[in-house]
Amino acid sequence: KGDMGECVVLMASASRHFVAAGDLRQACVEDGYVGWGYMDLGVFEEAERALRECIGHAERLGLPHVVASGQHNLGLTCAMLGRVDEAQELIRASIATFAAHKDVRLGCAARRYLATTLVMVGDLAGAESEARQAVSANQSGPGRAEDLGVLASVLLARGMGREALVYASEAHSIIAEVGPLDNDATHVRRAYAEALYVTGDLSG
């Protein structure tokens, strides 16, 4: 329903109940979701706290995939807090784990985050490379729309408006068909609108 605040409250409650039930592994997974929720809400300091705790618990429990999930979200969180070098290190580590686990969905998500951090430091060629790898790996579904939206945004930053419009249009078509994405479709719609604007379709 788009209510991330209530979502975080419920995920935190789920974590407490899993602890009470003795399922520490699933509690750790829920804690990672809580950190992701705080990040999505823009409460980055709280997201960092939650994600670091989750990663620490996951390492002690021997859950490398949960560690990687926490790392890629913590990476983007650190980038938003201005610590881009640390962000890239965390995200690259998560990409390696996701590749080892053959997790295409989260691997692509991590590459989107890496592309975003590379744009922040002006490495547009590197950002484009990461975004294209995500698009190439993810051939269907809502995740592909997010990959295409990030690639379109990078191309816009590189002054490649017409090519950006091709990818943004495909992304926009996907969300029109499948509905909301995991963290809503705002960035896809923005990239599409910007691509229309720079190519002269002002009414669009």
Side-chain angles (χ1 to χ4, degrees), residues 65-78:
H65 194 275
V66 179
V67 170
S69 182
Q71 284 175 326
H72 92 287
N73 286 321
L74 179 59
L76 185 60
T77 297
C78 287

Side-chain angles (χ1 to χ4, degrees), residues 67-69 71-72 89-99 106-107 110:
V67 170
S69 182
Q71 284 175 326
H72 92 287
E89 182 178 342
L90 285 162
I91 297 170
R92 290 185 192 281
S94 76
I95 289 172
T97 301
F98 291 139
L106 286 181

